[in-house]
Amino acid sequence: MKTLLQPSRTSTSLLATTAPLPTPTHPDDVLVRVHATSPCAGELRWAIDYPAAIPADKLLVPCQDLAGTVVTASGKFHPGDRVYCRVSAARAGAARDYALPRASELARIPPSLGWVEAAATPLSALTAWQALFVQGTLDAAGIEDGGSDDARARNGQVRVLVAGAGGGVGSWLVQLAALAGAGAVVAVCGPDKADAVRALGATEVVDYRKTTIKDWVAGDGDARECGLVVDVIGGETLAGCWAAVRDGGALVSITAAPDALRPEGVVKTLERSLFFIVEPLGSNLEEIGELVEAGRVRPTVDSVWEFDEYEKAFERLDSGHAKGKVVIKVSGEA
């Protein structure tokens, strides 16, 4: 089968090569024919930057998101099932003809999604779901059909700020926070993405090219502080998020521990201040899939590339200008 491969743990380049089909070695392994996949920003540096999280024996195939067809399996999934998932970063990814996700990671693709949209969904949607409803303080019961009145009332008391709202994860954060009934959804993004995030449910937009988060908050003091702030950018942006989160609120980041970037002199005491790594849970993806099929949320695709255009796909991703997910077609069916 064809596959992409990092030559070594210290390399950030990729080569296109061939390899034998993967062989299941775990009772939960499911052999899947991959039709489309999606890379993640920074993933070619994972083994360098997070060596403890990447096993020494990992086959360095990139792209942990997949959409494909079950080939051989037992139990819940059957040959021919259309499935998608996020494969754990500890195992080989999906930039190859066949991959080995685990049944616990898989969910069936909503009928309304094609291969490309399905491949664009798992990582971004799961990260947003867990940031808001597992690590954050919104109640997922507020997005159920009709919504729990109590949950929506609680969510309605929470202003949510999303730093990096125009990207793959950010677009899901905006949609899910709005759907859950958050009191406000503040989207921090560039001006070229303002209309898109408003269409997804943002009630306010902060143009980071014109103002910092700190200066924006200072423009109207306590009224602009938020009970839940989610950062997907890191660095100075994460440091600026301390100005936006209210005392007693929650600050969640997928880039770094917020306390490590707490500005000097900030004395707020937060209910939650944490960095987390997404769990590739098929059960969460099933819930998201129901919302997709009901037309209540949708994936955002920036661009689609053929398998042999993988270098251009990663360049687009690394440019920082992608408006949603970058997807690579693996099979001719995608």
Side-chain angles (χ1 to χ4, degrees), residues 74-96:
S74 60
K76 181 178 179 180
F77 298 99
H78 306 94
D81 284 350
R82 298 173 72 247
V83 293
Y84 63 160
C85 79
R86 163 73 172 175
V87 179
S88 168
R91 306 196 318 280
R96 50 184 179 166

Side-chain angles (χ1 to χ4, degrees), residues 181-224:
V185 182
V186 182
V188 181
C189 63
D192 56 327
K193 300 175 182 179
D195 289 343
V197 296
R198 286 193 181 95
L200 294 175
T203 56
E204 302 173 50
V205 177
V206 179
D207 181 352
Y208 74 87
R209 294 181 187 172
K210 291 184 177 179
T211 184
T212 64
I213 294 175
K214 181 179 179 180
D215 288 344
W216 173 78
V217 172
D220 200 4
D222 295 346
R224 287 183 172 172

Side-chain angles (χ1 to χ4, degrees), residues 119-285:
T121 298
L123 172 61
S124 296
L126 286 170
T127 302
W129 181 278
Q130 293 171 17
L132 294 171
F133 306 125
V134 180
Q135 308 297 339
T137 52
L138 291 187
D139 189 338
I143 62 173
E144 294 173 357
D145 190 17
S148 159
D149 289 341
D150 289 344
R152 291 189 68 82
R154 290 191 296 272
N155 292 344
Q157 300 301 309
V158 182
R159 285 171 53 84
V160 177
L161 182 140
V162 178
V169 176
S171 65
W172 281 97
L173 285 163
V174 170
Q175 290 183 85
L176 290 171
L179 196 60
V185 182
V186 182
V188 181
C189 63
D192 56 327
K193 300 175 182 179
D195 289 343
V197 296
R198 286 193 181 95
L200 294 175
T203 56
E204 302 173 50
V205 177
V206 179
D207 181 352
Y208 74 87
R209 294 181 187 172
K210 291 184 177 179
T211 184
T212 64
I213 294 175
K214 181 179 179 180
D215 288 344
W216 173 78
V217 172
D220 200 4
D222 295 346
R224 287 183 172 172
E225 289 186 342
C226 297
L228 174 58
V229 175
V230 183
D231 160 67
V232 300
I233 301 297
E236 292 181 2
T237 298
L238 176 53
C241 286
W242 279 95
V245 65
R246 66 169 177 78
D247 195 36
L251 176 52
V252 176
S253 176
I254 65 170
T255 63
D259 285 332
L261 290 168
R262 179 195 289 253
E264 186 177 350
V266 172
V267 294
K268 296 175 180 176
T269 299
L270 302 186
E271 177 185 342
R272 303 180 191 183
S273 170
L274 57 91
F275 158 77
F276 83 100
I277 297 173
V278 65
E279 288 190 70
L281 297 177
S283 56
N284 284 168
L285 200 52

